[in-house]
Amino acid sequence: MSVIGARVPKLDAPERAGGRIRYVHDIVVPGMLHGAIRRSDRVHARILSIDVSAARALPGVRAVITANDIENRPFGHGRDNTPLKGDRVLCSRDEIAAVAADTEAIAREACRLIRVEYEDLAAVFSPEEALAPGAPVLYSHVPDNQPFHYDYAHGDLEAAVAESDEIVSDTYRLHYVTHCCMGTSGIVADFSAAGALTVHSSTQVPHMYRRDLAAIVGLPPEKVRVVQATIGGGFGSKLDIYPFEPICVWLARRSGRPVRLLFDREEEFVGSPTRQPAIFHMRSGARRDGTFTFRDVRIVLDNGGHTSWGATTPFVMMQTFSSLYRCKAVKVRADVVYTNNPYAGSFRGYGNPQATFALEAQVDALAARLGIDPIDLRLRNVQEPGEVTGQGMRFHSIAHKECLETVRERSSWTMKRGRPGEAHLRRGVGVASLLHVGGGAKMYRTDGCGTTLKLDDFGIVHVTSGSSEIGQGSDTVLAQCAAEAMGVRLEHVRVHRVDTDLGPWDVGVHASRTTFIAGNSVLMAAREAKKKLLGAASAQVRRPVERLDVTDSEIVDLETGQAVSTVGKVVRALHFRERGDVIMTSAYYEPPSQAQDEGYKGDVSATYAFGAQVAEVEVDVETGVVRLVRLTAAHDVGRAINRLGIEGQIEGGIAMGAGYALTEELKVSRGVVENPRFRDYHLVTAPEIPEIDVTFVEQGDREGPFGAKGVGEAPLIPVAAAIAAAVEDATGVRFTSLPLTPERVLAGLRERS
Amino acid sequence: MIHASTTAITRPRSLDEALAALEKSPGAVLLAGGTDLMVAWNAGERHLPERVVDLWSVPELATIGVAGDALHVGALATHSRIVGSPEVRAHAPALAEASRTVGAAQIQNRGTIGGNIANASPAGDTLPVLLAMDATIVVASRARGERPVPADAFWTAYRRTALAPEELIVRVEIARDRPQVLFRKVGTRRAQAIAKVSMALSLRRSAGGAVEDARIAWGSVAPTPVRARRAEDALRGKPLDAASIGAACAALPQDISPIDDIRSTREYRLHVAMAILRRALSGWVG
């Protein structure tokens, strides 16, 4: 009775639906104060003075801090952020002061009472402005406003251009969106009398976070314990440390009390990261027979005023340009540019939705020039199992071709393509594919994950993984892995939350890696535990170990088929004896992948996930309203472990992608977020969710747990590209920027006519 | 948000009590479902007032029914009740349709038609329908009793109404013999979207097909909900054909004054208003 591939409701669903799960917002520590942050009123200004006297005088205020009151160490990927800004603000979210008070309302009121005098500085609001000659310089040590560059190339570009029969060229501009986690950002910081710090955090990388947070606040890491709270949505937003976290620690230090700091919803829109906006100047070519020849891409990224992970998204973007299809010569240049805009973090897909939007638009443009059906053209360029791409990725298993063929069939592509009709409601279908890491990503020297497993005296398997549940359903998948490998019932497995004092090490939840990496780690620990369990059982029931197995939490004699003991009984008997023992195992899984070399080449993941989606839209050509009617998806998942969970991941990814394509936009005007509320920032709602048809292509991956690949990010990646392609099929206009709001679509249609 | 002052809330249990409370403190803020006020207060867009009269428990204001030749919809009728009311569906289906587009289910459960009218947002979803139906908004004060105000005269300027400080809205009356109204709302999405443009249109045609009367009302294209009187004039007395439809659409830009805001642009609103008017008139049956 395998639980692998079953439809298992998330193990924590009753707790979540019943309102019993404890998010960071629910954590109350005795004596706790409430923190709040005073943010900048300007986008680029020198701070002349900060007057906190009125805030300090407000009854109930226990601590007020500015940059002068703390050791304000620089941090972040660009070392260009500090917890509090003392002399200069560089974007509208910048933190200037913070308050700890008896209530959240008092803390917020005190923040309002802080008087800041500014002297405005010349600001830049786009990469183009920041790159113009004579542009204001944001950081004196970066006089060209370009803190980072990426250069990738494989193949002979000139030769590949020369052999191209068709070349297409265009520019694509992708906008700001944000994660919109249901749980806003928050943290609780609590010092012991001896000065040891416990933080209840919603980070998705607890072990790295411990080291980084300790460094920012000047504590030895061994004095920091990170307890992961239940996370109310991650999607990448909790991969980096943001200023509110060290700020809360400093408030706790200065007040001598535990402090909880929570964002309200508007603050979440203004003060949490965005998806990386991007500009792609791109050319690509093909031979007459449809063989892709080259791609030449220049990416310009708006880094905002400080650096978070958004600046590193070219790592992932270039993978799609180099390796989604076979292509002889690919060149990618990325320039990251400081501006006074908000800054981007990591967000599900990590640059890939943006890159896929640009690449798939060019594939469609080539298809039109060559007179080849878009799906046929893609099929002519997909790789075979065993192939190694120009960037060094090795595709042991690849079901890209099967995914394309599946969506062609299931979407009625041939019948629907190129038949928009004459009415004011036009129909269209469009396709897009995706490539994403599916077996972790070796971005550090290791991509490993530890597991500890304890079998208790009532037969319960306690799994503590270094990796963690951030809403993606990994606890359930890991429980299934443990149950399957040990032969115990699923309800006899508990997966415990990450606590850096108790749990084993892991690099964190990112790169769609948890099922694959943590799953394999759990399998190793579970197999070891089963071996110990059967050894103990063999001695107890006096049968050779080869004759025994564990099924349904019972010890079974394989010759008779009879249950001879239970898991709990064996463990109890092991405990209650002289020279007893416990069954506790640990494991560390390191995937067989390589870190990239200096030219970004290398087999960075143990396996890769592919997929294809066909969007069907209806466009009202009189109002520009686009309705996503149907989304047909086929995903190369290796093997589905929790069918219900993976359906949820795919459907959720499609909804998120539909929002990216059609309705969501963080409107940033001269550096200021104009719509920091759900009334004006439009997620898709239930009526916009299309009919969704999902097929899992399950060929099994040789390295994945039970053959599974990671697919947490995958389903979101091609959605916007497929929708734009469908709108083109319906209207003849290919939109090169998002979202496809009625205003943008109507303007595009009118421009053409 | 902390405020030094406090807010006094009165909760009348009858219309008399409500009118008395209002007479005692004219200009008190009237609260019904709270779907506009609570949002504005919480967001700090409006200061908490000194006095609030909470009408939620006044039963006389919540009735929906037919009286003589008219449909009466009490000011406290929620959008959910309007959507579910057989009387509204029978006599003013477009009103039910408009109420169904307000916010989402939770908002429809609390938001009232009286609140929609009094809030006087140019984007209020039911307001163009009330204009197109030539509805009467009955208001009352303790001193003067009831006073009927035609919808045409109710919204006087941006977020201003004909309601006097001591008055409250009692009900909406809609004549049962009105021609049916076509309602159209364009937004970013189909739920939880404030209109970029909305239109309510009613036509009365003679046996010969000529337009005897036209009422074309709009939301989100002017400081108040407005009628397009020049476009109506272009249709009146004419058969509904390409020439009159073209003239009505050509006249429309003089009737409306859309702006750029966070939800849309002047250009989009103007174009789409003309497009949905043309489509509605071209497809008109009955």
Side-chain angles (χ1 to χ4, degrees), chain B:
Chain B
M1 192 79 26
I2 296 181
H3 294 275
S5 62
T6 53
T7 300
I9 301 177
T10 312
R11 286 218 173 85
R13 301 280 158 179
S14 68
L15 183 53
D16 279 347
E17 275 182 41
L19 293 171
L22 208 47
E23 186 175 52
K24 223 172 88 190
S25 42
V29 171
L30 297 172
L31 180 71
T35 56
D36 288 306
L37 290 173
M38 293 300 294
V39 172
W41 290 336
N42 285 337
E45 290 167 6
R46 284 176 71 149
H47 286 295
L48 274 173
E50 280 175 34
R51 293 182 310 275
V52 168
V53 177
D54 176 2
L55 299 171
W56 193 251
S57 310
V58 177
E60 297 98 312
L61 295 179
T63 54
I64 299 177
V66 170
D69 292 339
L71 170 71
H72 288 194
V73 182
L76 268 187
T78 61
H79 297 292
S80 296
R81 287 192 51 233
I82 289 169
V83 169
S85 159
E87 290 92 345
V88 175
R89 286 173 175 212
H91 304 296
L95 180 59
E97 211 180 311
S99 281
R100 193 182 284 118
T101 71
V102 174
Q106 296 92 327
I107 300 292
Q108 291 168 22
N109 285 342
R110 285 292 298 189
T112 64
I113 189 164
N116 209 217
I117 294 167
N119 190 51
S121 161
D125 290 310
T126 64
L127 310 186
V129 175
L130 298 178
L131 283 172
M133 287 177 169
D134 197 13
T136 300
I137 295 159
V138 178
V139 303
S141 66
R142 189 156 146 121
R144 288 184 313 222
E146 287 191 355
R147 175 171 77 96
V149 183
D152 276 336
F154 195 84
W155 300 283
T156 53
Y158 178 67
R159 293 201 173 249
R160 300 265 170 231
T161 71
L163 205 58
E166 69 285 3
E167 284 179 327
L168 55 76
I169 300 168
V170 178
R171 65 179 174 276
V172 175
E173 296 186 2
I174 297 163
R176 290 164 62 192
D177 61 352
R178 292 286 317 161
Q180 283 316 314
V181 169
L182 182 141
F183 175 70
R184 185 85 202 268
K185 172 175 168 178
V186 180
T188 305
R189 58 186 178 193
R190 278 172 285 166
Q192 302 266 42
I194 297 171
K196 296 177 191 290
V197 179
S198 64
M199 178 191 73
L201 166 67
S202 84
L203 294 180
R204 199 198 309 274
R205 294 165 78 187
S206 68
V211 175
E212 290 178 345
D213 188 27
R215 296 177 74 89
I216 310 171
W218 298 88
S220 298
V221 293
T224 65
V226 287
R227 279 178 57 197
R229 291 179 189 273
R230 290 179 185 82
E232 292 171 3
D233 289 343
L235 293 172
R236 206 165 283 117
K238 310 268 171 34
L240 206 53
D241 57 18
S244 66
I245 292 172
C249 292
L252 183 62
Q254 299 159 289
D255 289 321
I256 62 178
S257 49
I259 57 167
D260 290 345
D261 65 14
I262 197 158
R263 281 182 284 283
S264 193
T265 62
R266 173 188 152 75
E267 199 189 345
Y268 178 84
R269 287 173 158 133
L270 207 54
H271 179 90
V272 166
M274 292 202 282
I276 64 179
L277 178 61
R278 176 173 286 112
R279 172 146 302 280
L281 293 172
S282 309
W284 193 264
V285 284

Side-chain angles (χ1 to χ4, degrees), chain A residues 123-140:
Chain A
V124 285
F125 300 115
S126 68
E128 288 93 336
E129 280 175 52
L131 294 176
V137 173
L138 270 63
Y139 290 92
S140 55

